[in-house]
């Protein structure tokens, strides 16, 4: 088999919930690319891929699956993708990244496929439906197909088009809603209004596609924090999406938002203020049935999650546990969380963990000659 048949094109990112998904690139980069908080595609130009190119990539995935199954047979694993097969693939130094992705996908066996990049919903619906149907037919074991999509794009599609996409096999759309406040959306150049978010959200649900809305705590800064929380809660209550996902603002060190930070026009929230903003938003959500997840590494509190309405109190309790910590414990928790050593607020009560964090704080302050707040800020910045 020619080596060109053992690779295919992939883009740079996927949502955290698609970590075990097969990544297939239907379009390149972001057709909007103007959001001031988003560093991902800033040096890249959007381009479409032809249906022929996409189908060729899908065919290559099929070749790779056959190749990996061949490795399994040669190792005596009977075509199963076991840890020995994965290890064998990992040890092959000249294997392309896309090949690894397929091997891991087979090993984890999720059957999930994520369509890259930022807004492949911009493809003509018939073409997108054909590409999804093709991958569903050709690649064995696909159980779920997911894509990012922009509200402005989706609101321009008809319900019939979205139903066609669902019938072709599109199961879930992740929308970067970020905020329900028109003032915040305009300020960060999201290119979508609250009304478009609501329209797109309702349409996705009406088509029978699972809807996941990403929102961005902190995006209104100090000036619009309350409005951001309340308006986001209002729009989410109207939509009642299947999932609400938190992805806290971290300002990239370039572009207009960064310039506003430097000039004082935009004052970012502290960790505590961000947590209080999330609390206000959760408290203000109406009668919804969404599942809220905090699965992004940028979020300070990972265990704020659950299903509405029954878990609202549990989510608020996690937040209150953090807010009621003594100041020194908050610092230790934030240091541990931003350094990747802690996941849950409750871990800070463990005496061994506390001792380790206290030592790490003393060592870092001495070695770096910085105060602990600067150290936490630098640790957090690695997640931008
Ligand atoms: S639409 Fe999404 S990917 Fe594009 S610039 Fe905005 S946040 Fe970034």
């Amino acid at each position: 088999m020619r080596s060109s048949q053992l690779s295919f094109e992939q883009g740079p990112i996927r949502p955290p919930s698609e970590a075990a998904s097969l990544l297939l690139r239907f379009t390149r980069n972001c057709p909007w690319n103007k959001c001031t908080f988003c560093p991902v595609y800033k040096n890249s130009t959007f381009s479409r891929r032809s249906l022929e190119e996409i189908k060729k990539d899908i065919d290559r995935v099929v070749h790779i699956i056959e190749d990996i199954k061949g490795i399994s047979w040669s190792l005596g694993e009977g075509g199963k993708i076991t840890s020995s097969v994965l290890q064998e693939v990992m040890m092959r130094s000249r294997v392309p990244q896309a090949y690894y992705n397929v091997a891991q996908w087979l090993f984890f066996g999720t059957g999930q496929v994520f369509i890259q990049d930022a807004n492949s919903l911009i493809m003509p619906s018939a073409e997108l439906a054909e590409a999804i149907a093709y991958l569903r037919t050709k690649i064995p074991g696909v159980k779920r197909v997911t894509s990012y999509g922009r509200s402005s794009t989706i609101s321009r599609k008809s319900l019939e088009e979205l139903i066609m996409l669902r019938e072709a096999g599109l199961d879930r759309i992740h929308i970067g809603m970020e905020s329900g406040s028109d003032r915040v959306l305009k300020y960060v150049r999201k290119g979508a209004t609250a009304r478009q978010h609501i329209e797109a959200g309702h349409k996705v649900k009406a088509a029978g596609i699972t809807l996941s809305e990403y929102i961005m705590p902190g995006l209104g800064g100090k000036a619009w924090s309350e409005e951001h929380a309340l308006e986001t809660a209002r729009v989410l209550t109207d939509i009642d999406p299947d999932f609400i996902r938190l992805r806290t603002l971290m300002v990239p060190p370039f572009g207009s938002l960064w310039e506003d930070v430097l000039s004082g026009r935009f004052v970012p929230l502290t960790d505590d203020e961000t947590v209080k903003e999330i609390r206000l938003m959760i408290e203000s959500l109406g009668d919804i049935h969404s599942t809220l997840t905090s699965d992004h590494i940028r979020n300070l509190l990972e265990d704020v999650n659950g299903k509405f309405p029954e878990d609202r109190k549990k989510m608020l309790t996690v937040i209150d546990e953090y807010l009621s910590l003594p100041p020194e414990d908050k610092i230790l928790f934030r240091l541990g969380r931003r350094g990747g050593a802690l996941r849950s607020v409750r871990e800070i009560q463990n005496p061994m963990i506390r001792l380790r964090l206290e030592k790490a704080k003393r060592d870092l302050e001495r070695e770096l000659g910085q105060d602990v707040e600067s150290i936490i800020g630098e640790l957090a910045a690695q997640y931008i």
Side-chain angles (χ1 to χ4, degrees):
M1 198 171 294
R2 289 207 313 277
S3 62
S4 63
Q5 287 183 298
L6 296 179
S7 188
F8 57 96
E9 199 170 315
Q10 291 186 312
I13 63 160
R14 42 108 189 121
S17 56
E18 305 290 341
S21 298
L22 173 65
L23 307 178
L24 283 173
R25 194 178 210 183
F26 280 16
T27 57
R28 296 186 188 96
N29 310 314
C30 174
W32 174 249
N33 216 7
K34 291 182 187 155
C35 303
T36 58
F37 57 85
C38 170
V40 182
Y41 301 104
K42 286 293 178 278
N43 296 317
S44 318
T45 309
F46 173 75
S47 64
R48 294 171 190 270
R49 304 192 70 210
S50 69
L51 192 53
E52 198 190 7
E53 264 182 290
I54 295 169
K55 284 184 174 177
K56 259 192 201 151
D57 273 3
I58 292 166
D59 292 341
R60 286 183 181 131
V61 171
V62 176
H63 288 313
I64 292 171
I65 291 172
E66 283 163 10
D67 201 64
I68 295 169
K69 288 206 166 150
I71 295 173
S72 169
W73 282 106
S74 70
L75 292 174
E77 300 283 3
K80 289 202 189 98
I81 311 307
T82 59
S83 53
S84 333
V85 176
L86 190 61
Q87 213 172 354
E88 172 67 24
V89 171
M90 298 292 178
M91 278 162 53
R92 296 186 173 191
S93 58
R94 301 183 70 170
V95 165
Q97 181 57 39
Y99 191 102
Y100 284 134
N101 179 233
V102 176
Q104 283 170 329
W105 181 69
L106 291 171
F107 176 71
F108 290 121
T110 61
Q112 294 169 200
V113 176
F114 178 68
I115 297 171
Q116 298 176 298
D117 283 347
N119 183 27
S120 288
L121 269 288
I122 204 163
M123 288 170 68
S125 298
E127 214 171 276
L128 178 55
E130 190 174 333
I132 293 169
Y134 191 79
L135 86 83
R136 284 265 187 189
T137 315
K138 293 282 174 171
I139 302 176
V142 174
K143 295 184 192 135
R144 187 181 90 188
V145 179
T146 307
S147 176
Y148 276 134
R150 281 173 48 74
S151 285
S152 54
T153 303
I154 296 166
S155 61
R156 286 196 300 272
K157 287 196 189 287
S158 68
L159 178 57
E160 289 68 35
E161 284 176 280
L162 289 168
I163 290 172
M164 176 173 70
L165 293 175
R166 195 250 302 147
E167 286 174 348
L170 181 61
D171 300 294
R172 178 177 297 186
I173 297 178
H174 294 281
I175 293 180
M177 178 181 139
E178 327 300 0
S179 178
S181 155
D182 276 328
R183 203 193 320 227
V184 173
L185 290 168
K186 189 169 176 211
Y187 171 67
V188 300
R189 304 180 71 197
K190 183 65 202 176
T193 61
R195 188 190 54 74
Q196 282 175 316
H197 281 321
I198 291 172
E199 198 184 325
H202 282 301
K203 230 184 256 181
V204 169
K205 283 182 65 186
I209 297 173
T210 303
L211 175 63
S212 170
E213 297 276 8
Y214 269 95
I215 64 144
M216 189 164 277
L219 196 58
K222 274 203 210 299
W224 300 321
S225 175
E226 188 177 331
E227 173 177 329
H228 175 46
L230 296 177
E231 285 296 280
T232 302
R234 178 184 69 81
V235 172
L236 286 171
T237 300
D238 195 317
I239 301 170
D240 192 8
D242 299 282
F243 294 95
I244 298 169
R245 297 181 191 276
L246 307 180
R247 178 176 48 185
T248 302
L249 170 70
M250 287 194 178
V251 182
F254 52 82
S256 65
L257 188 57
W258 179 241
E259 282 162 22
D260 282 0
V261 171
L262 295 180
S263 70
R265 281 192 297 271
F266 183 86
V267 183
L269 299 186
T270 62
D271 275 347
D272 280 23
E273 287 166 340
T274 306
V275 169
K276 284 178 190 161
E277 184 185 281
I278 294 169
R279 193 187 195 292
L280 176 62
M281 197 243 351
I282 290 176
E283 241 185 340
S284 310
L285 284 163
D287 183 19
I288 59 168
H289 306 86
S290 316
T291 296
L292 186 142
T293 62
S294 178
D295 58 357
H296 204 286
I297 187 69
R298 288 180 183 183
N299 302 329
L300 184 69
L301 303 182
E302 189 183 322
D303 38 7
V304 178
N305 51 54
K307 183 158 172 22
F308 286 90
E310 57 268 34
D311 294 331
R312 186 194 310 257
K313 198 157 173 267
K314 186 192 90 176
M315 291 184 248
L316 294 175
T317 302
V318 172
I319 289 175
D320 291 341
E321 276 174 7
Y322 168 77
L323 290 173
S324 61
L325 286 176
E328 180 61 17
D329 287 19
K330 273 188 188 163
I331 285 178
L332 289 180
F333 171 74
R334 289 168 57 226
L335 182 67
R337 171 70 179 149
R338 298 312 189 192
L342 288 186
R343 301 189 72 169
S344 161
V345 177
R346 288 186 186 165
E347 286 174 78
I348 201 69
Q349 310 302 342
N350 179 320
M352 292 305 293
I353 292 177
R354 278 190 71 95
L355 275 178
R356 275 208 298 273
L357 284 169
E358 277 163 356
K359 180 174 182 321
K361 176 174 170 282
R362 279 195 307 274
D363 291 351
L364 284 166
E365 281 175 321
R366 194 181 54 244
E367 280 164 28
L368 301 175
Q370 288 175 305
D371 63 68
V372 70
E373 281 300 336
S374 318
I375 295 167
I376 292 171
E378 281 181 18
L379 287 170
Q382 69 185 309
Y383 305 125
I384 292 175

